[in-house]
Amino acid sequence: MRIRALIKRICEQMLRDKRTLALLFLAPLLVLSLMHYLFNHTGDVADAKIGVVGLPPQLTASLEQQGLDAIAYDKADKDTLLQDQLDAVIEMQAGSIHLILENSDPSQSKALQMKIGQATELLAGGMQQQGQAATSPKPGVTVEYVYGSEDTSFFDTLSPILIGFFVFFFVFLISGIGLLRERTTGTLERLMSTPVRRGEVITGYLAGYGIFAFIQTVIVVIYATMVLGMNLSGSIWYVLLTNLLLAFVALSLGILLSTFAASEFQMVQFIPLVIVPQIFFAGIFPLEHMDTWVQVVARIMPLYYGADALKGVMYKGLGFPDIAFDLSVLVLFAALFILLNVVALRKYRKL
Amino acid sequence: MTAATVKVEQVSKSFGRKTVLSKVDLQMEEGQIYGLIGPSGAGKTTLVKMMVGMDLPDEGRIEVLRTAMPSLSMLQQIGYMAQSDALYTELTAEENLKFFASMFKMSRREQKQRIAYAAELVHLTEELGKKVAVYSGGMKRRLSLAIALIHDPAVLILDEPTVGIDPELRQSIWKELIRLKTSERKTIIVTTHVMDEASKCDQLAMVREGRILAEGTPEQLRQQYDAADLEEVFLRAGGVTL
Ligand SMILES: Nc1ncnc2c1ncn2[C@@H]1O[C@H](COP(=O)(O)OP(=O)(O)OP(=O)(O)O)[C@@H](O)[C@H]1O
Ligand SMILES: [Mg+2]
């Protein structure tokens, strides 16, 4: 009964606060769309101009097939590149490839490098096949990718992390500030002067804000996959499940940290401390080759596990058994924070 | 002699190195309005918070209705109105009342009746549908008082209940408090800075720097300090020579 009243009250409060609702439901979509646009349009090599020197004709053809504008030169160096406003020069010397990149836009250079790498691999594959079956004049080359496809962009590996991050961030912010307001206005104290149990209070808050976190998660996931067309190789249900657990961790963490903040301003100060590092350790940079201490730090961050599971499902198409470990760690995080929350409420009533 | 409903025995409390209360002994009885007066920072709020069980005394014990505090089930019997209005401003007054009512054991019908009664008592029946955010300071204070009464508690603990309430309404609230103590035998504990209100209490305790300087009926206090009125008692207790 009391829990139901708590949930009802939180819903009434949230539904009247249109700004916060908009922040919760629309802001993630807006930011995701912007990110999507940004990442899908930088490193665009569609009309890159490159000079080629002494390249086998197959390679040139393959580069042009990829949409690059290849111009043949007898000799080209940095000056030629600048004079003719080329983006890159590829030179074949004694079987090895020398690449000069203009590199005013590193992401474009990366993309170019990737294309050229792909083209030379294609060529190598093609020559192998030609060696085996010299009779076929135009060998059909098929490429197999372990993860993703030829359409894979950097954003596809990043988007699962971003989805997880936005769910985490916005739920953290809103539940944290929501509870903080109760602390500063004294309503939490007043609530604790009624016979309500501490466990009931925490359950009520988790369920009340949980409803909104759930709706937000569904909206974000559906928007990201259906509207933005983000890569989704695995089941959408696992994506939802992972995000829900992540939202739950954020919810309990937000409520917990609001104990240590005396004002909204102080709550916001937790963002660079608690939220921002998580995004860097969540797999935007591959951590495998970093020092062990970096990896240890990553492993105390909930978003690391959430992002790992999301990447697994969305990008690699993994199933439940493969993400079970990540999910159970998230459950443990949530359980720990919830327990600490119940203890922290002793501040208001020693019972 | 009626039964003591609230017993404070040898209670001390400090925050860090600052001693806020030292060895306080008090007894409140059924059917009595008990006033706590004393200068700002004397420790009145700290004392009543411990009666509600929101804070623990460092030493000593507090009993409410023969049960040692803190006690969760006892909270059903205590109505506490804090010094600051703790209200959900996004909600209407009625929603606030309903929410707090549902924290107590109460049937739906009872809840409706109590909300109507409490709203009527503080003259807010007409404004129940308004959002608390648009309430005036006095209206918020009244709503806060109504919430403290919502579950018909046997012990009412009111921390400066009439601050910001106009004289007319203040009088009607005091009338109701007096009715509650006589016809419903409730124990009412009030802290106040208004000496006119203090004179309406059956028993008074003068708190100063964490000690009880004097205790008794308003009349007894006046005689003890050889003062014309309570205002003078207050000043004399503080060492002000008149
Ligand atoms: N949580 C706390 N931490 C530290 N000091 C506190 C705390 N609560 C109260 N105090 C201190 O205890 C003393 C008594 O405070 P209290 O609120 O009980 O005074 P009061 O008698 O209610 O005053 P007023 O009439 O102004 O309401 C003050 O000096 C205050 O600074
Ligand atoms: Mg006070």
Side-chain angles (χ1 to χ4, degrees), chain A residues 4-19:
Chain A
R4 223 174 66 196
L6 274 162
I7 295 173
K8 186 168 158 241
R9 196 207 79 219
I10 291 168
C11 289
E12 281 168 349
Q13 278 179 305
M14 284 290 275
L15 289 177
R16 281 196 201 151
D17 190 352
K18 299 282 184 282
R19 266 270 294 276

Side-chain angles (χ1 to χ4, degrees), chain A residues 10-11 42 49 69 78 85 96 109 136 146 153 177 211 215 245 248 253 292:
Chain A
I10 291 168
C11 289
T42 52
K49 241 167 60 174
D69 191 3
K78 283 186 186 172
Q85 296 189 334
S96 75
S109 303
S136 71
V146 182
S153 68
I177 290 193
I211 293 172
I215 299 172
L245 285 176
F248 224 63
L253 182 64
T292 32

Side-chain angles (χ1 to χ4, degrees), chain B residues 15 18 20 38-47 83 159-160 193:
Chain B
F15 291 110
K18 187 177 172 13
V20 177
S40 188
K44 303 179 296 292
T45 299
T46 310
L47 182 61
Q83 192 166 358
D159 202 351
E160 300 189 25
H193 287 298

Side-chain angles (χ1 to χ4, degrees), chain A residues 2 5-6 9 12-13 16 181-182 185-187 189-191 193-197 348-351, chain B residues 49 53-56 71-72 75-76 80 86-88 90-91 95 99-100 102-104 131 144 147-148:
Chain A
R2 292 193 188 120
L6 274 162
R9 196 207 79 219
E12 281 168 349
Q13 278 179 305
R16 281 196 201 151
R181 228 173 18 200
E182 294 227 7
T185 58
T187 46
E189 190 181 75
R190 170 155 231 167
L191 184 58
S193 74
T194 70
V196 70
R197 287 172 195 286
Y348 297 92
R349 190 180 68 204
K350 312 290 171 193
L351 202 75
Chain B
K49 266 193 182 172
M54 309 214 317
D55 225 329
L56 286 183
S71 149
L72 205 55
L75 287 178
Q76 177 79 27
Y80 172 60
L87 302 164
Y88 298 104
E90 306 92 334
L91 304 184
E95 284 163 342
F99 172 70
F100 282 107
S102 45
M103 293 297 119
F104 295 95
K131 264 194 204 180
S144 207
I147 291 172

Side-chain angles (χ1 to χ4, degrees), chain A residues 350, chain B residues 8-24 46-47 49-51 54-62 69-70:
Chain A
K350 312 290 171 193
Chain B
V8 177
E9 288 170 354
Q10 292 288 301
V11 164
S12 302
K13 176 81 185 172
S14 8
F15 291 110
R17 253 175 293 145
K18 187 177 172 13
T19 307
V20 177
L21 290 173
S22 48
K23 301 223 187 295
V24 172
T46 310
L47 182 61
K49 266 193 182 172
M50 286 193 290
M51 292 179 191
M54 309 214 317
D55 225 329
L56 286 183
D58 297 336
E59 281 168 53
R61 62 185 259 120
I62 295 179
M69 292 304 283

